[in-house]
Amino acid sequence: MSESIHIKQTIVVRARPDVLYRLALEPRRRAKWDPNLAKAEYEGEGGRLANNSLVRFKFTRRLLGLAFTAKYGQLQAPQRGGWESVRHVGPLEKLTQGWVFKPMPGGTEVTLTVHGKVRYKWVRVPVERVLHNMVATTLLELQRTVDAQGAQLMEDMGRELAEKQKADQKAAKEAAKAAKRKK
């Protein structure tokens, strides 16, 4: 019994779509800036970014150091591209990653979609958490690579939002305690 995980996140980056396309999909370039990948290289000699190209990826130790082979597909420079695992990736039967780059005034809207098919039901929640973290850090690092100021602003906004949510939860807890004491 396998279960699917679908994650889709969008971010606006101040860069041209063709620059982002090459950074996100070219394995050698991706390995330089993405903190989730320890290694990424074409399989075989003279590999290049094309449909049905095979690429060897190796995640960092934080992601269990899983190594796998993926096949590129749906490449339409500079609008979209992605890859799909050839065999299973650890607890995942299949892992796919898709990128969409939509030009807009002042930058590019980048959407990263990750689909995973979990082999065992009991491992779904932790794997989904890891994949969410991977998507968020990948997008933030992509933005930081081309637009350091925008990335810092996004990080600060995220931190402020988290602090506000924490304060709201604390206030709700205090209100609940006060209401209990009145009874």
Side-chain angles (χ1 to χ4, degrees):
M1 171 88 187
S2 62
E3 291 202 13
S4 294
I5 297 172
H6 303 287
I7 301 167
K8 184 177 186 177
Q9 288 189 17
T10 302
I11 192 170
V12 176
V13 181
R14 286 188 288 195
R16 293 190 333 261
D18 58 322
V19 171
L20 296 170
Y21 177 85
R22 285 192 306 274
L23 274 173
L25 292 166
E26 182 65 47
R28 290 181 201 100
R29 289 184 185 182
R30 172 95 181 260
K32 288 178 185 172
W33 62 263
D34 192 342
N36 298 308
L37 290 176
K39 214 159 90 178
E41 55 195 26
Y42 290 107
E43 216 172 64
E45 288 297 312
R48 64 182 194 87
L49 189 58
N51 282 321
N52 298 322
S53 294
L54 292 177
V55 178
R56 295 275 308 145
F57 287 110
K58 182 170 174 44
F59 287 138
T60 56
R61 289 182 63 195
R62 187 171 46 94
L63 295 170
L64 306 177
L66 297 172
F68 62 98
T69 303
K71 182 169 74 171
Y72 275 110
Q74 300 175 345
L75 295 176
Q76 293 178 347
Q79 290 113 11
R80 70 178 64 238
W83 51 259
E84 178 179 275
S85 63
V86 176
R87 285 181 228 52
H88 64 82
V89 181
L92 296 167
E93 245 174 66
K94 188 168 281 295
L95 179 65
T96 62
Q97 189 177 82
W99 293 85
V100 177
F101 307 97
K102 192 165 132 191
M104 56 188 295
T108 304
E109 185 181 86
V110 179
T111 303
L112 174 56
T113 309
V114 172
H115 295 289
K117 210 171 199 170
V118 181
R119 291 164 65 181
Y120 313 106
K121 195 175 188 174
W122 59 270
V123 81
R124 182 182 191 277
V125 173
V127 167
E128 187 170 19
R129 194 175 304 124
V130 166
L131 288 177
H132 267 290
N133 188 31
M134 184 180 82
V135 168
T137 56
T138 298
L139 285 174
L140 196 62
E141 283 301 317
L142 175 65
Q143 186 175 38
R144 185 173 283 132
T145 302
V146 293
D147 178 19
Q149 290 175 328
Q152 191 60 49
L153 179 67
M154 290 294 284
E155 203 171 291
D156 293 344
M157 285 172 46
R159 197 175 298 116
E160 286 172 18
L161 181 65
E163 287 171 4
K164 186 178 183 292
Q165 285 176 340
K166 212 178 233 183
D168 290 347
Q169 286 174 344
K170 192 174 183 180
K173 213 180 232 184
E174 293 296 323
K177 279 184 182 178
K180 262 188 177 178
R181 278 189 231 129
K182 283 184 179 180
K183 287 182 183 179

